[in-house]
Amino acid sequence: MSNLREINKRISSVKATMQITRTMEMVSTAKIRKALERAEQAAPYKDAIKRMLANVANAGIDVNQPLLQTHEKEKCVLFILIASDRGLAGGFNINLQREVQHEMEALKREGKQSLLITCGRKPTDYFTYRGYEPVMSFTGISSEPTMDEADRIASYAMDGYAAGTIDRIMIYYMHARNRVDQDKVTEQLLPVRTEDLVIPNAPRNPEALEHVGHELYTEFTFDPSASKVLGYLMPAYIRTVIFHALLDSAAAEHGARRRAMQSATDNANEVITSLSRMYNRVRQSSITTELNEIIGGASALEDN
């Protein structure tokens, strides 16, 4: 009977765990819709800023904008890692964390410096434990990011790049393709690469541009100067990209947690089914043993 009690106790424990995973799945399901809507609403603004920057860049105007300059020698790289505050989301955090760590270690072997900004308690704890102290960290708001967070990250990144202390800026996060699937995104924020500013369906090189009618491109007259226009446009572009990444990551986090909790609930159901079958077999065996003992005792009495 002790075996039956042990199996029954395990079934009760798994059922309690399944209630938790099912509840977390329902919570993530409720939150993911709002998070996806926020990310989708921010996307057109990001595309509009990007298109404006692309139009100015394709106008062929030479401007002295520090954020558009490429540094001759790369000595320091800034990594912006956007993950989550909580776990129980499958490989949502660990995959990004390991990739950034691998990149930082590769730079160290080359004699280059790397800086790190973490968004989320999980990546902050991960790198702090391994001896990498983030220059900035944000915790407690991964599921509800704010523009203030994006402004602070963008200001630090742009000031460092303009001052020459940072030579390249990379951003890592998970993109919510839909409510179920997530894709890893690795994007170079600065220096801005020309391929990132190409207008859809526009030529990708100067040779092709020569064969395109002028009606496809607009002649720009800047008032104030092109440098001042880009001085406003570039910071807006950087802040918008970072804020959209924060919103996109929040939606991806809920989607990853929903899928992980759904998988955990399904696994718990399978464990309960397996334990129930085991319980029934042990119970049947116990009943059979008791019946055999009763029959054996009755036969012994009859012999006497």
Side-chain angles (χ1 to χ4, degrees):
M1 294 299 293
S2 59
N3 225 353
L4 286 174
R5 285 195 293 268
E6 183 181 343
I7 295 172
N8 199 32
K9 186 177 180 181
R10 288 180 61 190
I11 291 174
S12 299
S13 176
V14 174
K15 283 183 176 179
T17 302
M18 188 175 68
Q19 288 179 347
I20 295 172
T21 58
R22 184 183 287 121
T23 301
M24 293 184 68
E25 178 190 349
M26 293 172 63
V27 170
S28 295
T29 302
K31 287 184 176 181
I32 190 173
R33 179 179 178 182
K34 180 181 177 182
L36 277 172
E37 287 177 355
R38 290 189 70 190
E40 290 170 357
Q41 288 169 1
Y45 185 68
K46 174 188 174 182
D47 293 341
I49 290 285
K50 193 173 184 179
R51 180 173 288 274
M52 290 171 63
L53 196 59
N55 281 327
V56 175
N58 287 332
I61 300 172
D62 185 20
V63 294
N64 185 24
Q65 168 52 246
L67 297 179
L68 286 176
Q69 306 303 316
T70 301
H71 299 174
E72 293 182 3
K73 187 176 180 181
E74 183 179 280
K75 296 174 291 184
C76 180
V77 179
L78 172 65
F79 294 92
I80 302 172
L81 173 57
I82 303 174
S84 70
D85 289 313
R86 298 185 297 132
L88 300 177
F92 181 82
N93 293 301
I94 194 64
N95 293 335
L96 289 173
Q97 291 165 178
R98 287 176 177 171
E99 181 168 350
V100 171
Q101 183 183 3
H102 175 76
E103 293 295 329
M104 294 176 71
E105 290 173 350
L107 288 172
K108 186 177 181 179
R109 289 192 294 269
E110 295 174 8
K112 299 178 182 180
Q113 182 186 5
S114 57
L115 302 175
L116 176 66
I117 294 177
T118 55
C119 301
R121 183 172 287 105
K122 285 294 180 179
T124 302
D125 293 344
Y126 178 90
F127 282 97
T128 302
Y129 178 77
R130 286 160 178 77
Y132 298 93
E133 193 65 34
V135 293
M136 295 180 71
S137 60
F138 300 86
T139 60
I141 52 175
S142 69
S143 60
E144 293 289 339
T146 63
M147 193 64 193
D148 178 66
E149 183 181 4
D151 285 341
R152 292 171 62 187
I153 296 171
S155 296
Y156 180 90
M158 289 186 294
D159 290 346
Y161 192 85
T165 56
I166 298 173
D167 303 302
R168 180 162 56 95
I169 300 172
M170 301 294 297
I171 184 168
Y172 291 75
Y173 66 97
M174 295 297 288
H175 161 64
R177 195 195 316 165
N178 49 48
R179 298 188 182 191
V180 178
D181 301 313
Q182 300 83 39
D183 299 317
K184 183 182 65 178
V185 176
T186 302
E187 187 174 353
Q188 181 171 305
L189 204 55
L190 288 174
V192 178
R193 296 177 295 190
T194 53
E195 56 265 31
D196 294 333
L197 295 178
V198 173
I199 302 174
N201 303 322
R204 291 180 174 270
N205 55 68
E207 291 76 15
L209 187 61
E210 294 176 359
H211 302 287
V212 177
H214 292 289
E215 66 273 11
L216 294 180
Y217 297 90
T218 306
E219 294 293 334
F220 290 95
T221 301
F222 293 94
D223 184 22
S225 65
S227 296
K228 289 187 177 180
V229 170
L230 283 175
Y232 291 109
L233 192 58
M234 276 301 298
Y237 169 74
I238 299 299
R239 290 188 179 94
T240 302
V241 170
I242 293 175
F243 185 53
H244 181 264
L246 291 168
L247 294 175
D248 205 357
S249 177
E253 176 189 347
H254 293 307
R257 183 168 292 110
R258 174 182 175 274
R259 185 169 61 178
M261 291 300 98
Q262 184 180 27
S263 177
T265 302
D266 294 341
N267 290 338
N269 261 322
E270 292 178 5
V271 171
I272 290 172
T273 301
S274 176
L275 288 173
S276 296
R277 288 173 181 168
M278 184 186 298
Y279 179 88
N280 291 333
R281 285 197 300 267
V282 173
R283 183 169 178 270
Q284 184 64 43
S285 176
S286 176
I287 293 171
T288 302
T289 301
E290 289 180 1
L291 286 174
N292 288 335
E293 290 175 354
I294 293 171
I295 293 171
S299 298
L301 289 174
E302 288 178 0
D303 292 340
N304 290 334

